[in-house]
Amino acid sequence: MTEFTGVAKHMARYIFITGGVVSSLGKGLASAALGALLQARGYTVRLRKLDPYLNVDPGTMSPFEHGEVFVTDDGAETDLDLGHYERFTGVPARMTDSVSSGRIYSNVLEKERRGDYLGKTIQVVPHVTNEIKDFINIGDDEVDFMLCEIGGTVGDIEGLPFFEAIRQFSHDKPRGQCIFMHLTLLPYLAASGELKTKPTQHSVKELQSIGIAPDILVCRSEQPIPEKERSKIALFCNVRKEAVVAAYDLKSIYEAPLAYHRQGLDQAVLDAFGIAPAPKPDLRVWEDVNDRIHKTDGDVKIAIVGKYTQLEDAYKSIKEALVHGGMHNRVKVNVNWVDAEVFDNDDAAPYLEGYDAILVPGGFGERGTEGKIKAAQFAREHNIPYLGICLGMQMAVIEAARNVAGIKTAGSEEFDHEFGEKRFEPVVYHLKEWVQGNAKVTRKQDDDKGGTMRLGSYDAVLGDGSKVADIYGTTNIEERHRHRYEVDTTYRTKLEECGMTFSGMSPDGRLPEIVEWKDHPWFIGVQFHPELKSKPFDPHPLFKDFVRAAVENSRLV
């Protein structure tokens, strides 16, 4: 690798990614793809997300607000963009890779209450901005490049402290150690047949008005950008013409690294830092990924039975993990979203017939759970591959208890708590204590909701000879969790006598981690979230085998 010149080797170079014109332009995807391209050139990277909303973290948000909550190994509840970062770079995200305005202000107020500011008047500048800068600086000596994405769009009131902080940060660091990358939209007006550059000009002008001059512009466009428009953008936005990078719509997000490389994004970044000659990229991993996406030997149809099906981002990691499983098996996975509430009180068969496999994901609350229980029953009775994740595992256990073990009123303590009246025999109960590392964690039913679940990475021990041990190729695994309810082992003996095996347990043997039906071709429920660790170049074992089972089932029909 070419060594950096002029900057101490232990100091990271910073790339700040901002957005303008409209939201949802794909800053997270662009950041992740750029991280992958820098890795392909031999550099180490870490990606961070700075969100302007006042929630301390997304943990208590509805999935309809910001999509899924992505959980890290160390137990942080973060924005789904951190999932993109992990899937594209393979670098495990940490608690220090995500922060919100809520967390920043909370930290500042805690310090003020302790007297850390020595009686000073607390202000956005410098106290809030200093807190943001301290966060950005964490791990400065660990990687070659630190990519920091600022949520929202330039001009948002709540985002101003973050923009001011990164402006100050770039001046605090040695010259040439920070650059700014700005994503904008180039709308196409069909009536005139033109791409309009004015929204981009205004967005850059807004950014410049707060003291930040972008070094690179990434322009989302449905049409190729003519040289005339590219030159116009460069002239009026004060960037080099080579630093105006086109970002076109793609059939798959995993085309992004190669697409951005073809447009010269990674070269523009290295040029902005003055790194020359730059190491040549090794893109074989992404060429293989793209080959697997586009060259398939068939397809399978999988139903995701959930209650947030109107918003696919609510199950983002699950959908991507299925895609990864499909890539491994060289098949296209067609995902159909099935609203569990639709057959809460109806027969599930008309809604689930014709699928090669059924997946029931995690969730909270009683709404839609009767439909999920029926989905588990349909999969069990018709020998259809079934993967239950978190709540999906609990629904499979309740279904087994009701329809096989004869516990007709089986249910979850969660539903009775929500309803305010006892109606069920709780085969799933509120988890009051568990072991984390060498410490015991305790929780009460009336604790605050935020950050009080069993969160992050925990070990599990798999039973010898179990299907999951065969799938993983080991009896010791580590997976990420996000739940506050747990299957009660009091019912284990009765369920196992009926054929449901508790094939994965916590190391102390107290908490069920995995259940499976012995006499079923492929029926597995897991209390953790395997989708969070799946990557296109390293699919999760459960999703690889789940899709394989779906392929096998499709050939039996």
Side-chain angles (χ1 to χ4, degrees):
M1 184 197 302
T2 301
E3 292 189 0
F4 294 150
T5 57
V7 178
K9 285 177 16 178
H10 70 278
M11 298 174 70
R13 292 176 182 253
Y14 285 83
I15 304 167
F16 293 104
I17 299 102
T18 59
V21 185
V22 294
S23 60
S24 302
L25 282 178
K27 292 195 303 296
L29 181 57
S31 303
L34 176 57
L37 289 174
L38 291 171
Q39 283 181 323
R41 290 180 181 267
Y43 296 111
T44 56
V45 301
R46 179 160 289 284
L47 290 96
R48 292 207 161 124
K49 180 74 183 289
L50 289 75
D51 270 308
Y53 52 70
L54 283 171
N55 304 67
V56 171
D57 61 40
T60 57
M61 287 188 194
S62 163
F64 292 121
E65 293 285 324
H66 273 255
E68 73 171 8
V69 174
F70 189 84
V71 179
T72 61
D73 282 331
D74 56 5
E77 295 177 287
T78 71
D79 185 83
L80 61 79
D81 276 328
L82 270 74
H84 284 316
Y85 303 163
E86 278 204 25
R87 284 188 284 273
F88 278 76
T89 66
V91 177
R94 300 190 300 221
M95 195 172 290
T96 52
D97 293 331
S98 176
V99 77
S100 67
S101 287
R103 174 68 67 190
I104 293 294
Y105 280 103
S106 178
N107 290 350
V108 169
L109 292 173
E110 285 175 13
K111 290 180 179 180
E112 187 274 334
R113 292 289 85 187
R114 287 199 307 262
D116 291 3
Y117 296 117
L118 301 175
K120 292 180 180 176
T121 301
I122 311 306
Q123 298 175 289
V124 173
V125 180
H127 302 99
V128 171
T129 51
N130 282 349
E131 191 72 24
I132 296 170
K133 289 193 291 182
D134 288 344
F135 168 81
I136 295 171
N137 212 40
I138 295 170
D140 176 65
D141 59 347
E142 295 178 354
V143 293
D144 299 322
F145 287 95
M146 194 79 78
L147 286 73
C148 299
E149 176 193 347
I150 315 300
T153 55
V154 61
D156 295 342
I157 290 175
E158 60 266 31
L160 289 175
F162 287 97
F163 286 104
E164 173 60 18
I166 63 176
R167 183 196 68 79
Q168 292 179 19
F169 190 90
S170 68
H171 283 281
D172 295 342
K173 293 292 182 181
R175 184 181 295 274
Q177 200 178 340
C178 300
I179 67 167
F180 296 93
M181 185 172 104
H182 191 56
L183 269 77
T184 69
L185 176 69
L186 290 184
Y188 177 75
L189 295 186
S192 60
E194 292 179 299
L195 280 175
K196 306 305 291 185
T197 65
K198 189 62 74 175
T200 292
Q201 294 178 47
H202 278 296
S203 181
V204 171
K205 189 175 181 180
E206 181 77 24
L207 197 59
Q208 291 171 333
S209 72
I210 54 180
I212 296 173
D215 300 281
I216 297 166
L217 289 178
V218 176
C219 302
R220 281 296 301 269
S221 172
E222 296 177 0
Q223 305 285 334
I225 304 174
E227 284 302 303
K228 178 184 174 185
E229 273 67 29
R230 192 184 293 263
S231 298
K232 184 178 180 181
I233 292 168
L235 177 65
F236 285 99
C237 296
N238 200 33
V239 298
R240 294 181 306 107
K241 184 178 170 184
E242 297 77 18
V244 179
V245 177
Y248 304 125
D249 293 344
L250 304 171
K251 292 181 180 178
S252 166
I253 61 172
Y254 301 115
E255 296 175 21
L258 294 180
Y260 274 122
H261 176 68
R262 286 193 295 269
Q263 293 298 322
L265 176 61
D266 48 329
Q267 188 61 56
V269 167
L270 297 175
D271 289 345
F273 280 117
I275 298 174
K280 294 191 181 304
D282 181 355
L283 296 168
R284 284 176 295 180
V285 167
W286 292 104
E287 288 165 354
D288 179 61
V289 165
N290 274 261
D291 182 69
R292 289 176 177 276
I293 290 171
H294 297 297
K295 295 179 181 177
T296 59
D297 299 327
D299 60 352
V300 291
K301 192 176 177 184
I302 296 179
I304 296 181
V305 182
K307 69 174 183 178
Y308 308 116
T309 52
Q310 303 95 315
L311 181 69
E312 292 187 15
D313 276 356
Y315 303 116
K316 185 65 177 174
S317 290
I318 286 176
K319 184 181 178 185
E320 296 309 321
L322 287 171
V323 171
H324 306 161
M327 289 161 58
H328 176 81
N329 289 279
R330 288 279 184 179
V331 295
K332 180 183 179 184
V333 176
N334 296 312
V335 171
N336 282 52
W337 306 93
V338 180
D339 187 347
E341 286 186 273
V342 171
F343 49 88
D344 255 351
N345 301 307
D346 294 327
D347 180 17
Y351 304 94
L352 297 179
E353 286 173 339
Y355 289 107
D356 302 313
I358 295 169
L359 188 153
V360 176
F364 296 92
E366 188 175 3
R367 182 170 63 84
T369 53
E370 290 301 321
K372 294 177 183 180
I373 290 168
K374 289 179 180 177
Q377 180 181 7
F378 183 85
R380 177 179 60 82
E381 293 178 345
H382 292 81
N383 285 332
I384 297 172
Y386 175 92
L387 176 58
I389 296 175
C390 198
L391 183 67
M393 167 184 161
Q394 296 171 8
M395 297 301 97
V397 171
I398 291 172
E399 190 278 323
R402 288 182 186 178
N403 300 320
V404 184
I407 308 170
K408 296 302 181 184
T409 58
S412 172
E413 210 172 28
E414 178 180 9
F415 310 153
D416 281 344
H417 288 154
E418 186 180 9
F419 191 73
E421 181 182 322
K422 183 170 174 55
R423 299 164 295 157
F424 299 113
E425 182 171 346
V427 297
V428 176
Y429 71 100
H430 181 261
L431 187 58
K432 298 174 180 63
E433 64 177 49
W434 64 90
V435 175
Q436 185 172 18
N438 296 318
K440 185 169 78 172
V441 182
T442 58
R443 289 285 183 265
K444 297 192 296 292
Q445 179 62 34
D446 57 354
D447 280 349
D448 290 345
K449 296 297 183 190
T452 58
M453 288 182 276
R454 186 172 179 240
L455 290 164
S457 188
Y458 288 87
D459 294 334
V461 180
L462 310 184
D464 288 326
S466 64
K467 186 180 290 292
V468 287
D470 183 52
I471 290 169
Y472 276 97
T474 180
T475 55
N476 293 283
I477 63 170
E478 188 179 279
E479 293 284 1
R480 296 178 189 174
H481 294 67
R482 183 176 184 250
H483 63 105
R484 58 169 56 90
Y485 291 87
E486 181 71 60
V487 172
D488 193 339
T489 52
T490 303
Y491 299 90
R492 177 177 180 176
T493 301
K494 194 165 189 176
L495 287 166
E496 289 198 323
E497 287 173 353
C498 297
M500 174 173 269
T501 304
F502 284 54
S503 55
M505 299 292 293
S506 60
D508 61 7
R510 296 178 63 185
L511 304 178
E513 294 281 9
I514 306 175
V515 297
E516 58 184 66
W517 279 106
K518 282 193 297 188
D519 57 353
H520 191 284
W522 209 103
F523 191 110
I524 293 172
V526 297
Q527 186 57 70
F528 47 82
H529 290 270
E531 71 274 15
L532 300 179
K533 296 178 77 168
S534 188
K535 303 166 187 68
F537 44 81
D538 184 20
H540 191 282
L542 280 173
F543 281 91
K544 286 194 293 188
D545 207 62
F546 179 57
V547 174
R548 180 204 58 76
V551 172
E552 191 172 301
N553 186 49
S554 72
R555 291 169 181 165
L556 295 175
V557 177

